[in-house]
Amino acid sequence: MLFPKTHANSRTIRSVISALFVCFWAFGTVSGQEYKSQEISEGSGIPVLIMHLPEWETAKDRAILTNELAKTVAVVGAQPILTKIELLPGGEAAAADYPAGKLLLIEHPSPQAASAADQAVLATGGEFIYRRIGNYSAFVFDVNDAAAANALLDQIKYEKTVQWLGEDPFLLQKIERYIAMTGADVAVSTVLFIGVVVGLALILGIIAGIVYFRFRENQRAGQAAFSDAGGLTRINLDELSEPLRLDPN
């Protein structure tokens, strides 16, 4: 059956409108969804970055996870340093409020990105406590107690293994650090070894000297008289030798 041309055009227009409506609806649904981490724990289903927060069991309920630093303002506030850091695709951030301050943990997708962020933070500075931990940039804002804030950062561990596809750009620094640490250990061990050997030598020498002195004293005590003439006749000026007995015959 053949339809009129106007009817075919009407169906085409309706199909296009329906397709556009479905696209806009899908886009609106996806954009409105909460951000889902790219790395989820297989055991608990919790994002790995959230599990790396201090006391994450209780912090996970109040923490936020996002791939846009601008969305962390709701927790940490409008911090100027956030405008100096670039969060590349593949990176994400978690923020939570603690008694010691407001913690922001940023995971960069590569060591190069983490190094660039580290240089930017160190060059800018600010009123916060900062530490680079692996590929993490960890901040504590609105610090109430510096010691407590540092203790909070001490609980963060970067447990991922970084593998370079090419040559390690930090290989020279690692070798220098290894040589320095090994040289220091060798120097300390050498000094301790020499000290122990010298100490043992002194102790053994003192013991041997005392034993020999006692032995010679006992030998002297058993002698009737002492003479350094080797048995020859000598002038007895010190009266240590026995007087000569003249044979009357």
Side-chain angles (χ1 to χ4, degrees):
M1 181 182 295
L2 298 176
F3 293 95
K5 187 175 181 180
T6 56
H7 183 68
N9 292 338
S10 178
R11 291 188 60 187
T12 303
I13 293 173
R14 285 199 301 269
S15 299
V16 171
I17 293 174
S18 299
L20 291 174
F21 174 77
V22 171
C23 290
F24 282 118
W25 176 84
F27 176 78
T29 302
V30 172
S31 61
Q33 286 181 347
E34 183 180 358
Y35 170 74
K36 293 184 179 180
S37 175
Q38 304 177 38
E39 189 174 6
I40 303 293
S41 174
E42 297 180 358
S44 61
I46 299 175
V48 174
L49 189 60
I50 293 293
M51 297 179 66
H52 284 183
L53 291 173
E55 303 174 0
W56 68 270
E57 294 87 350
T58 56
K60 62 182 177 61
D61 297 328
R62 64 179 185 274
I64 64 169
L65 182 69
T66 179
N67 61 344
E68 300 178 20
L69 291 180
K71 293 184 179 180
T72 63
V73 174
V75 176
V76 301
Q79 304 295 337
I81 191 63
L82 298 182
T83 61
K84 306 295 183 180
I85 302 176
E86 182 181 5
L87 188 58
L88 300 177
E92 55 187 8
D97 196 0
Y98 290 87
K102 297 175 180 179
L103 175 66
L104 174 62
L105 184 61
I106 303 174
E107 181 178 9
H108 300 279
S110 66
Q112 295 90 334
S115 297
D118 182 60
Q119 293 175 3
V121 173
L122 296 178
T124 305
E127 295 182 358
F128 52 81
I129 293 181
Y130 162 78
R131 189 181 303 176
R132 179 186 174 184
I133 308 170
N135 282 358
Y136 291 159
S137 293
F139 299 85
V140 181
F141 301 102
D142 298 341
V143 177
N144 300 321
D145 184 358
N150 281 292
L152 195 66
L153 295 181
D154 290 338
Q155 301 179 47
I156 300 175
K157 306 297 181 184
Y158 188 78
E159 300 174 342
K160 297 180 181 179
T161 302
V162 178
Q163 272 189 324
W164 298 90
L165 297 179
E167 295 183 357
D168 187 351
F170 303 102
L171 180 60
L172 182 59
Q173 291 87 335
K174 291 179 180 179
I175 294 176
E176 291 177 350
R177 188 182 305 112
Y178 173 78
I179 293 175
M181 295 178 63
T182 304
D185 293 339
V186 170
V188 172
S189 300
T190 303
V191 171
L192 290 177
F193 177 76
I194 293 174
V196 171
V197 170
V198 172
L200 289 176
L202 290 175
I203 294 173
L204 293 177
I206 292 173
I207 293 175
I210 293 174
V211 171
Y212 183 75
F213 176 77
R214 295 297 182 187
F215 173 74
R216 293 296 297 166
E217 282 292 312
N218 292 333
Q219 280 189 331
R220 282 174 147 183
Q223 293 178 353
F226 172 78
S227 174
D228 58 356
L232 299 178
T233 302
R234 60 186 295 277
I235 300 176
N236 191 19
L237 299 177
D238 49 12
E239 298 182 354
L240 292 176
S241 301
E242 295 182 356
L244 294 176
R245 295 180 181 179
L246 299 177
D247 188 359
N249 298 324

